Amino acid sequence: MPRGRLPMMDLKRGYDVERDGSRIQHDLWPLDEIDPKNAKFPCCLVWTPLPVVSWLAPFIGHVGICLEAGAILDFSGSYFVNIEDFAFGAVARYVQLDREKCCFPPNLAGHTCKHGYQHTEYETALTWDDALQSSVRYFEHKSYNLFTCNSYSFVANCLNRLCYDGSMNWNMISVAVLLMLKGQWVDTMSIVRSFLPFTVVLCLGLVLVGWPFMAGLFSFSLLLLMWFLLGTYCAKTLLES
């Protein structure tokens, strides 16, 4: 099987679907336990630090979203979505999402969210895995760019297809904030792996260059933050989501 492809046989249905005319009832099945040793994070958003970039700005990293069976999907290169091979290292932080907060409408009248027409135009799904598969197909035709179309864009696209938490305004910033506020560290080593390189770079810079290095590092982080904020909320067509 080619890497980056998501075969239908690997997509476990997270729901028992019963058709009764136009009605479809979803009976959520229980998820397996989170298993960091085997990289299984059912219905989770996952995060890991990026080489070099996270050494300078530790709030930036690489993210993915997981199938109901726990396999990680992440957009890590042009026209390519990783499956069960999380780019840039093991998961350091994760947050498990609640499938009850998703909208899986069988038709326009079956929406549980308030974005019926908009959600339908965006392309709805009947299950969690179906929504993720749709995003995979979409991003297999996208060029990767760290500043405009990256792993956060892929995750935001998935959450918009799910209309997660009643919102279709998921973007790079909201995904990052969700992970920062609600994310759990896998273990102590994950914290060390995420912040030790930044601490070393900061200390070396202060010793070798002095306070101008601190000012330059702060300016770099501020410029990155301003780029994503302006691109997300001011020039909305600039960044992919």
Side-chain angles (χ1 to χ4, degrees):
M1 179 190 72
R3 292 179 64 194
R5 300 292 178 182
L6 199 60
M8 288 300 297
M9 63 184 298
D10 288 345
L11 285 178
K12 291 187 177 181
R13 295 284 182 178
Y15 308 86
D16 294 327
V17 181
E18 298 179 2
R19 298 185 180 273
D20 178 18
S22 62
R23 294 183 60 195
I24 295 185
Q25 294 181 335
H26 296 288
D27 186 17
L28 298 178
W29 72 345
L31 298 174
D32 293 334
E33 293 292 327
I34 292 172
D35 184 5
K37 290 184 178 179
N38 293 309
K40 298 295 183 183
F41 296 85
C43 294
C44 288
L45 304 188
V46 293
W47 180 93
T48 194
L50 274 171
V52 181
V53 178
S54 296
W55 302 352
L56 303 175
F59 58 87
I60 294 180
H62 181 73
V63 299
I65 188 168
C66 305
L67 298 170
E68 290 171 307
I72 302 172
L73 309 179
D74 65 297
F75 180 56
S76 56
S78 296
Y79 321 116
F80 180 73
V81 177
N82 260 327
I83 303 165
E84 291 195 285
D85 186 19
F86 197 33
F88 308 111
V91 173
R93 204 171 190 182
Y94 68 91
V95 56
Q96 191 168 46
L97 303 183
D98 184 359
R99 290 172 297 171
E100 294 282 1
K101 295 184 178 181
C102 301
C103 177
F104 301 114
N107 50 47
L108 191 58
H111 283 268
T112 57
C113 66
K114 60 181 180 180
H115 306 286
Y117 288 103
Q118 182 186 0
H119 194 195
T120 299
E121 289 179 358
Y122 203 90
E123 188 178 346
T124 59
L126 290 179
T127 71
W128 174 280
D129 286 354
D130 282 345
L132 269 57
Q133 186 195 22
S134 295
S135 291
V136 167
R137 289 196 298 265
Y138 180 72
F139 274 80
E140 283 177 344
H141 301 282
K142 288 291 181 180
S143 297
Y144 183 93
N145 186 301
L146 181 63
F147 298 103
T148 60
C149 185
N150 54 38
S151 60
Y152 288 84
S153 306
F154 172 68
V155 171
N157 186 275
C158 292
L159 295 180
N160 284 328
R161 290 181 193 277
L162 292 164
C163 199
Y164 185 74
D165 205 18
S167 173
M168 289 198 64
N169 294 316
W170 290 97
N171 52 53
M172 295 183 190
I173 299 297
S174 56
V175 169
V177 169
L178 176 62
L179 278 161
M180 288 178 63
L181 295 181
K182 296 188 176 181
Q184 301 180 54
W185 294 101
V186 170
D187 51 29
T188 304
M189 194 61 204
S190 297
I191 303 176
V192 173
R193 182 164 57 88
S194 299
F195 292 103
L196 180 60
F198 171 74
T199 305
V200 171
V201 168
L202 182 61
C203 292
L204 285 176
L206 287 173
V207 170
L208 298 176
V209 180
W211 288 107
F213 176 83
M214 189 73 172
L217 190 61
F218 175 78
S219 298
F220 172 75
S221 298
L222 185 61
L223 284 173
L224 279 179
L225 183 59
M226 290 302 297
W227 166 262
F228 289 116
L229 284 172
L230 290 173
T232 299
Y233 298 108
C234 297
K236 296 185 177 181
T237 59
L238 183 62
L239 306 185
E240 183 70 43
S241 62

